[in-house]
């Protein structure tokens, strides 16, 4: 069923299992306990950062499948994307898994794009088990988008730190646990910000658009969700979003609105404005938030993953940064409750 | 952002950017300048020390000690890049570590390390000058322009 721009899932697809894999920097963060695997080596014993990212995505996928008590063959579709050119991490992971695969790209919003599409396939009866996954790797992203890792450039305080991590979730037609209730698909918003070291400010308008649309489409009050999290806006973007939403009359109670990019690292970690990358919202959602929901600490959560759809070439050609945000609403249903 | 770029924005975009700008922490320029001055100066001090060392112990004179001094600084900088210290110092020091010859060495060494995974020819060789290349191109070009200006002044204006 569609309400405005929001898919409302009638059959309530279930996230039966999820997994998160992180790197050394994430291991020092406050959410370290919520990861399934944490690597102390940024290379993961591989020959290149790109191979290390693929390895993380493979691990997250395999863990999620294993935790769902399934075999690879039970996965009917693998929906995945990442930040690497031609989404190689995802495609190469799909090669390892050997299951039908759809590669997607939404930059850092890929996590929720995958979950939304996976839920849609399951809800529509076109699949009984879908695996949605995404990843990012700090050094691989730096190499592709910015400068060599060891290059001594001075980043401004608005810059963000790409998360080294991968997250995966198995969405099933049957089962108990966390249900995917609705998903709002974002539209591309470009407010003319062209500084790739200020992605938070670039992505904020897209997040505002999607959040406003979601609450309007479903006619919800700001207190409906126990937690609303944005993907990776960082300090600058998150402050901008909260202030504008406040002004527009969507006031979230204190503590019920947060940002994955601010949750994943400690205050004193040298990440400037906060975390970013496709792995950011994936790790925080599939690791931390789902685990809190399973414990019963949270019941209704809205995740708004934001993505900056730029390429290394587009910003060198002085293009501004088009951005998008996809929102997925998940709810924990008690046993026996309908 | 320059005014030229701002002109292309619609009023709504402009309004938003002004709004967002108020929430952006500014670069701490004075702090950065002090750090850059201290670290850059310290690198020069080390350079002077190395130069004096060569003059004292290896019979170089003040002029000929320059080359081995630069080579030594480049070696130290490349070493620190490889061991992963240089970029951390640079985040604090900014121009202090970019402007001296150590910054140039870091630009080349970091690109070479980064692209090692694509092989020696297409990776290391092809990418080593990715960042340093433009420094060389514009450095040589401006030297050429300055050279021509010097020739014109000395020959036709009878200066110097």
């Amino acid at each position: 069923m569609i309400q405005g721009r929001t898919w409302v899932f009638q059959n309530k697809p279930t996230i039966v299992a999820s997994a998160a894999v992180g790197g050394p920097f994430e291991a020092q963060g406050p959410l370290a306990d919520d990861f399934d695997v944490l690597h102390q080596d940024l290379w993961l014993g591989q020959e290149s950062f790109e191979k290390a990212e693929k390895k993380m995505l493979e691990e997250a996928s395999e863990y999620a499948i294993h935790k769902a008590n399934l075999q690879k063959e039970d996965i009917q579709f693998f929906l995945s994307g990442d930040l690497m050119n031609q989404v190689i991490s995802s495609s190469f992971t799909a090669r390892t898994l050997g299951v039908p695969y759809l590669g997607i790209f939404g930059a850092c919003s890929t996590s929720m794009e995958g979950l939304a599409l996976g839920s849609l396939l399951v809800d529509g009866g076109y699949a009984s088990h879908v695996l949605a996954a995404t990843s990012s790797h700090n050094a691989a992203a730096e190499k592709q988008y910015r400068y060599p890792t060891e290059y001594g450039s001075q980043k401004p305080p608005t810059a963000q730190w790409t998360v080294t991590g991968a997250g995966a979730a198995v969405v099933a037609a049957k089962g108990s646990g966390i249900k995917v209730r609705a998903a709002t698909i974002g539209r591309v918003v470009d407010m003319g910000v062209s500084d790739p070291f200020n992605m938070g400010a670039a992505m904020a308008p897209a997040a505002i658009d999607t959040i406003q649309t979601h609450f309007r489409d479903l006619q919800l009050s700001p207190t409906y969700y126990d937690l609303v999290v944005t993907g990776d806006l960082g300090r600058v973007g998150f402050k901008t979003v909260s202030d504008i939403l406040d002004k527009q009359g969507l006031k979230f109670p204190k503590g019920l609105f947060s940002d994955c990019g601010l949750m994943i690292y400690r205050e004193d970690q040298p990440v400037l404005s906060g975390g970013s990358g496709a792995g950011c919202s994936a790790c925080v959602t599939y690791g931390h938030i789902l685990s809190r929901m399973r414990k019963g600490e949270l019941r209704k959560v809205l995740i708004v993953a934001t993505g900056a759809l730029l390429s290394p070439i587009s910003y060198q050609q002085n293009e501004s940064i088009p951005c998008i945000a996809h929102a997925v609403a998940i709810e924990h249903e008690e046993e026996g409750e309908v | 952002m320059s005014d030229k770029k701002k002109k292309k924005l619609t009023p709504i975009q402009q309004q938003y950017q002004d709004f967002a700008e108020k929430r952006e922490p500014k670069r701490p320029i004075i702090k950065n300048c002090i750090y850059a001055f201290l670290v850059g100066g310290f690198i020069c001090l080390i350079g002077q020390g190395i130069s004096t060392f060569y003059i004292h112990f290896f019979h170089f004179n003040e002029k000929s000690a320059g080359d081995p001094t630069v080579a030594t600084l480049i070696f130290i900088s490349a070493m620190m890049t490889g061991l992963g210290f240089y970029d951390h110092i640079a985040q604090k020091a900014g121009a202090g570590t970019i402007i001296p010859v150590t910054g140039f060495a870091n630009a080349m060494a970091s690109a070479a390390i980064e692209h090692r995974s694509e092989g020696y020819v297409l990776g290391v060789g092809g990418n080593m000058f990715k960042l340093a290349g433009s420094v060389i191109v514009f450095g040589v070009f401006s030297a050429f322009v300055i050279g021509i200006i010097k020739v014109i002044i000395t020959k036709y204006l009878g200066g110097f």
Side-chain angles (χ1 to χ4, degrees), chain B:
Chain B
M1 199 186 285
S2 72
D3 283 344
K4 200 182 159 197
K5 269 187 189 165
K6 276 194 171 175
K7 269 178 200 159
K8 281 187 270 175
L9 299 173
T10 63
I12 295 170
Q13 287 179 327
Q14 187 58 60
Q15 203 187 341
Y16 169 72
Q17 289 197 8
D18 293 341
F19 186 87
E21 213 179 304
K22 287 186 200 124
R23 280 142 190 88
E24 289 164 16
K26 299 281 166 282
R27 274 182 192 261
I29 292 177
I30 295 176
K31 198 177 111 193
N32 284 353
C33 285
I34 293 170
Y35 270 122
F37 178 78
L38 291 179
V39 177
F42 185 65
I43 293 171
C44 295
L45 185 71
I46 295 171
Q48 188 56 52
I50 295 167
S51 179
T52 311
F53 171 80
Y54 282 127
I55 295 168
H56 242 60
F57 295 96
F58 290 96
H59 310 294
F60 284 98
N61 59 35
E62 240 174 67
K63 217 170 179 187
S64 63
D67 291 346
T69 303
V70 168
T72 311
L73 282 174
I74 289 175
F75 178 78
I76 295 171
S77 169
M79 192 80 161
M80 286 177 75
T81 305
L83 294 174
F85 300 135
Y86 201 90
D87 57 329
H88 294 293
I89 302 171
Q91 174 61 31
K92 276 231 150 38
T97 46
I98 291 172
I99 306 291
V101 70
T102 50
F104 191 77
N106 165 252
M108 293 199 48
S110 62
I113 295 166
E114 189 85 347
H115 294 278
R116 170 66 189 88
S117 55
E118 286 93 74
Y120 282 114
V121 177
L122 295 176
V124 177
N127 289 294
M128 221 166 155
F129 289 90
K130 202 167 126 186
L131 296 162
S134 58
V135 179
I136 294 176
V137 169
F138 293 107
V140 169
F141 179 70
S142 34
F144 168 75
V145 173
I146 299 288
I148 288 181
I149 294 172
K150 192 193 168 196
V151 167
I152 293 171
I153 292 175
T154 49
K155 199 155 183 189
Y156 297 101
L157 303 174
F160 319 114

Side-chain angles (χ1 to χ4, degrees), chain A residues 157-220:
Chain A
T158 49
Q160 288 174 261
W161 177 275
T162 307
V163 168
T164 303
V170 178
V171 184
K174 290 195 189 86
S176 64
I178 296 151
K179 308 282 181 187
V180 184
R181 185 175 169 271
T184 304
I185 301 303
R187 63 189 180 97
V188 173
V189 180
D190 187 340
M191 278 296 168
V193 177
S194 55
D195 180 6
F197 287 115
N198 191 6
M199 303 267 235
M203 295 191 291
I208 294 164
D209 182 72
T210 302
I211 295 172
Q212 288 278 21
T213 308
H214 182 83
F215 280 86
R216 194 174 52 236
D217 284 350
L218 299 182
Q219 300 184 343
L220 301 173

Side-chain angles (χ1 to χ4, degrees), chain A residues 50-62 65 72 78-82 87-101 131 133-135 166-168:
Chain A
E50 290 79 3
K51 284 183 186 164
E53 179 173 339
K54 184 203 74 181
K55 179 101 190 288
M56 280 194 310
L57 191 53
E58 283 176 0
E59 281 183 353
S61 304
E62 277 160 14
I65 295 170
K72 278 183 205 169
F78 174 52
L79 299 176
S80 180
D82 53 85
V87 290
I88 48 171
S89 307
S90 297
S91 303
F92 290 13
T93 300
R95 176 178 72 186
T96 310
L97 292 175
V99 298
Y101 159 66
L131 180 67
T134 187
S135 66

Side-chain angles (χ1 to χ4, degrees), chain A residues 169-322:
Chain A
V170 178
V171 184
K174 290 195 189 86
S176 64
I178 296 151
K179 308 282 181 187
V180 184
R181 185 175 169 271
T184 304
I185 301 303
R187 63 189 180 97
V188 173
V189 180
D190 187 340
M191 278 296 168
V193 177
S194 55
D195 180 6
F197 287 115
N198 191 6
M199 303 267 235
M203 295 191 291
I208 294 164
D209 182 72
T210 302
I211 295 172
Q212 288 278 21
T213 308
H214 182 83
F215 280 86
R216 194 174 52 236
D217 284 350
L218 299 182
Q219 300 184 343
L220 301 173
S221 74
T223 48
Y224 180 80
Y225 291 106
D226 300 328
L227 183 66
V228 176
V229 287
T230 48
D232 54 350
L233 294 172
R235 261 174 264 287
V236 179
F238 184 67
K239 183 92 181 66
T240 310
V241 169
S242 336
D243 288 355
I244 293 182
L245 285 178
D246 258 11
K247 263 179 140 184
Q248 295 180 344
L250 199 61
K251 274 197 203 326
F252 293 108
K254 207 171 156 49
L256 300 197
F257 188 39
S258 190
D259 180 63
C260 298
L262 298 176
M263 293 160 79
I264 194 163
Y265 297 119
R266 277 183 288 110
E267 281 273 318
D268 55 340
Q269 279 181 291
V271 294
L272 301 163
S273 190
S276 73
C280 182
S281 51
C283 288
V284 173
T285 307
Y286 298 150
H288 177 66
I289 292 174
L290 289 188
S291 113
R292 282 187 68 189
M293 290 178 83
R294 287 188 199 106
K295 282 183 208 153
E297 291 171 22
L298 297 169
R299 287 201 52 192
K300 298 169 185 165
V301 178
L302 180 71
I303 296 131
V304 188
T306 44
L309 306 171
L310 81 169
S311 92
I313 291 175
S314 75
Y315 82 78
Q316 282 172 359
Q317 294 177 347
N318 292 328
E319 283 270 9
S320 53
I321 306 172

